[in-house]
C-alpha cells in the first residue's frame, strides 16, 4: 500500500494528491452534512461540493474546464468518500473534533495544497499566484460548503488552517525555485502542510490580532 | 403561440429553452425581492442575478465568455421578466407559494436544466459533467440570489428541487446516449424536470435522511 | 504627484485606475476586518479579497487568467493597502463612516468601475456587458468579502452604491460610442462615479422601492 502510494507519487504526484484530497474532503463534507440532519441528496451535494469546489475554482483560475466535469474517475472518488461517510455514520457517531475527522481534514488540506501548487506551477503564474491557487484549492471546498450552509467560512475563524496551506504552497514554490523536482517539491509541500496543521490542532496555536500592535503598556 | 414554440424547439432547442428560463427566473427573483421590500435597483439586480447567474456559471465552466454579456437579446428577456414582476406586484400581492410563483419557478427550472444539458453535451464533458452543468444552470441563479440575500440557499432545504434538475439532466444524457436527436432529448428532459417538480410540490415528496440507515428497530 | 497621475492616466488609463483601486479597496477591506477583531492573517485575507475578487471575476468573465495571479505588482499594491490599514488602525480608531473610510471607498469604487469598463470594452462584449463587468469589478470585492464574513452584501442594502458604478459604466460606454478616446472616457467615467457616490453619501440619496408604484392615494 505504502509502496504503491510512493510509486504513484513519483510517477504522477498530481494524480496521487488529487485522489487523496477528493476522498478525504468528500468524507469530511458529507459527515458535516449528516450531523446537520440533511437528507441523502443534501449529504451527497455538500460532500461533492467540499471535494470539488476548490479544484474547480483552481481550474477556472488557470482557464480550463474543471477536471471534475471531464474525468469519470474524479466523480467516482468523490462518491466513494460520500459512501464512506454514510457508512461511518451508520456505525458510530463522530463529532466535529473526533480524531478521524481532524486527520481526514488535515490530510485533505495537505493533498489539495500540493495538487493546487502543481497545477499553478504548470500554468506559469507568479509566486503569489502559486500560493493563492494552492490555498484556494485547499480551502475553497470547505469555504464554499459553509457559504451554502449559510455560516461564516470556518477558515476565517479557525486559526492556522488556511495559514498551513499558505505555508505549504510557499514551500512548494521555494522548492521548485531552488531546483527541486516536482515529486520532491510535492512531498515537502504535503509534509509541511499536514505537519503544521496537526501541530496547530494539538497545541492550539493562534495567530496574533492587529490589536496587539496598539496595546503597548 | 404553441406552434411557434414547437417550431422554435425543433429549430433551436437551446434558444427556446434559454428564453423561457430567462423570463421565468427574472420574474421569480424580482418577485422575491419586491416582497422583501428592496428598492427598484435591488429588485432589478436580484431578478437579473436569478436569471443570469446559473447560465454565466455554466459558461465559465465550459470556458467561454457568458452569453449574457455578449447578446443584447438575453438582457432584454431578463428585463422583460423584471418588468413583468413589477407589473404583477402592482396589481395583486403574490406570496411565495402562490400557484403563479410555483409554476414560473418549475418552468424556469425545466427550461434551464435543458439549456444547460445542451451546452454541456456540445462542450463534450463526461456524463457527470452534463448532469452537473444542467443542475448548476437550473439552480445556480436562485442559490446565488439567496447567498446575496444572506440566507441558506433554499435548494438545500427544499426537497425535490435540485433533485428534479439532476433527474432531468440524467434523462437528457441517456436520451442522447441512446441515439435521440437534440430536440427529442430536450423535450423529454424538460418534461421530466417540470413533471417531477410539479408532482413533488403537489404531493409533498421528501428525500430520506442518512439517519434512516441507523435507526432500525 | 497630480501631474504624474495625469500622465499615467493618458499613457495607460487601466494601469492607473487599477493601481488606485487596489490600494483603496485593500485599505477599506483590511480596516473592516481589524474593526471586527480578526487576526493578522484574516485581516490580510479580507483586505486582499476586497481588492482582488472583483477584478478576478472580471477576468474570469472575459475568459483570461486573473491579472492578480500573474503580475507581482498587483499583489505588492494590495499588501501596501493592507499595511496602510494596519498602520492607520495602530494610530487612531476609524469607524465605518469616518471620512477617510468613505473617501477611500468612493475612490476605489470609481477606479475599479473605470478599470472594468476598459477591460470589457477591449473584450468586445455588448453594452450591457460593459456596464455589468464594470459594476462587478467595482462592487464584487466588497460583496465577496461580506459573504465570507457571513453578512448580506452591503451593496444590496446601501442605496446609491452599485448604482454609481452602473451610472459610471454606462457613461464610459456612451463616451466610447460617441467617439471619445479611452483616456477621455476613463476620466469622465471615474468623475461621474466618484461624484455621484460622494453626493449620495453627503445628501443621503435613496432609490424608490417598487411599493411606491402601488401606494397611490
Amino acid at each position: 500500500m505504502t509502496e504503491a502510494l510512493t510509486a504513484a507519487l513519483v510517477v504522477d504526484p498530481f494524480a496521487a494528491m488529487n485522489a487523496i484530497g477528493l476522498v478525504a474532503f468528500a468524507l469530511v463534507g458529507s459527515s458535516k452534512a449528516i450531523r446537520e440532519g440533511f437528507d441523502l441528496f443534501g449529504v451527497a451535494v455538500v460532500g461533492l461540493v467540499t471535494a470539488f469546489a476548490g479544484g474547480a475554482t483552481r481550474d477556472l483560475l488557470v482557464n480550463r474546464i474543471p477536471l471534475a466535469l471531464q474525468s469519470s474517475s474524479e466523480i467516482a472518488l468523490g462518491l466513494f468518500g460520500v459512501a464512506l461517510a454514510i457508512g461511518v455514520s451508520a456505525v458510530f457517531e463522530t463529532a466535529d473534533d473526533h480524531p478521524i475527522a481532524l486527520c481526514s481534514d488535515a490530510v485533505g488540506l495537505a493533498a489539495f495544497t500540493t495538487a493546487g501548487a502543481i497545477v499553478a506551477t504548470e500554468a506559469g503564474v507568479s509566486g503569489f499566484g502559486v500560493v493563492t491557487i494552492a490555498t484556494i484549492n485547499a480551502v475553497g471546498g470547505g469555504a464554499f460548503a459553509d457559504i451554502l450552509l449559510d455560516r461564516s467560512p470556518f477558515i476565517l475563524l479557525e486559526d492556522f488552517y488556511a495559514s498551513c496551506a499558505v505555508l505549504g504552497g510557499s514551500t512548494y514554490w521555494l522548492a521548485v525555485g531552488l531546483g527541486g523536482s516536482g515529486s520532491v517539491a510535492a512531498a515537502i509541500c504535503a509534509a509541511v502542510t499536514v505537519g503544521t496543521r496537526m501541530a496547530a490542532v494539538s497545541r492550539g496555536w493562534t495567530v496574533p490580532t492587529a490589536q496587539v500592535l496598539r496595546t503597548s503598556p
Side-chain angles (χ1 to χ4, degrees), chain A:
Chain A
M1 173 74 198
T2 316
E3 266 174 47
L5 196 62
T6 311
L9 270 173
V10 172
V11 176
D12 188 346
F14 171 77
M17 288 299 175
N18 193 42
I20 295 170
L22 286 174
V23 175
F25 270 15
L27 171 63
V28 169
S30 294
S31 303
K32 209 192 284 184
I34 291 172
R35 276 193 299 275
E36 300 237 344
F38 278 61
D39 62 42
L40 284 180
F41 184 76
V43 167
V45 167
V46 175
L48 295 179
V49 161
T50 308
F52 291 130
T57 309
R58 170 204 69 207
D59 287 340
L60 289 181
L61 289 173
V62 301
N63 215 4
R64 69 179 191 193
I65 299 184
L67 267 190
L69 300 178
Q70 298 185 286
S71 140
S72 301
S73 64
E74 293 250 324
I75 171 67
L77 288 163
L79 288 175
F80 175 65
V82 172
L84 216 59
I86 295 174
V88 165
S89 83
V91 178
F92 56 100
E93 254 175 288
T94 53
D96 266 341
D97 53 357
H98 191 279
I100 294 182
L102 290 174
C103 274
S104 307
D105 197 52
V107 166
L109 186 78
F112 272 168
T113 300
T114 314
I118 294 172
V119 170
T121 304
E122 278 166 8
V125 298
S126 69
F128 172 68
V130 170
V131 176
T132 302
I133 290 177
T135 305
I136 286 175
N137 198 156
V139 309
F144 196 71
D146 278 351
I147 289 174
L148 282 184
L149 301 176
D150 193 24
R151 35 190 206 188
S152 194
F154 71 96
I155 56 155
L156 283 180
L157 304 172
E158 181 132 351
D159 287 315
F160 269 98
Y161 186 83
S163 324
C164 303
V166 169
L167 213 63
S170 309
T171 311
Y172 185 94
W173 178 72
L174 258 178
V176 168
L178 294 172
S181 77
S183 302
V184 170
I188 299 179
C189 168
V192 165
T193 310
V194 80
T196 45
R197 176 63 190 150
M198 294 311 285
V201 167
S202 62
R203 303 189 182 190
W205 286 352
T206 58
V207 186
T209 66
Q211 261 85 34
V212 292
L213 298 176
R214 214 190 308 154
T215 54
S216 48

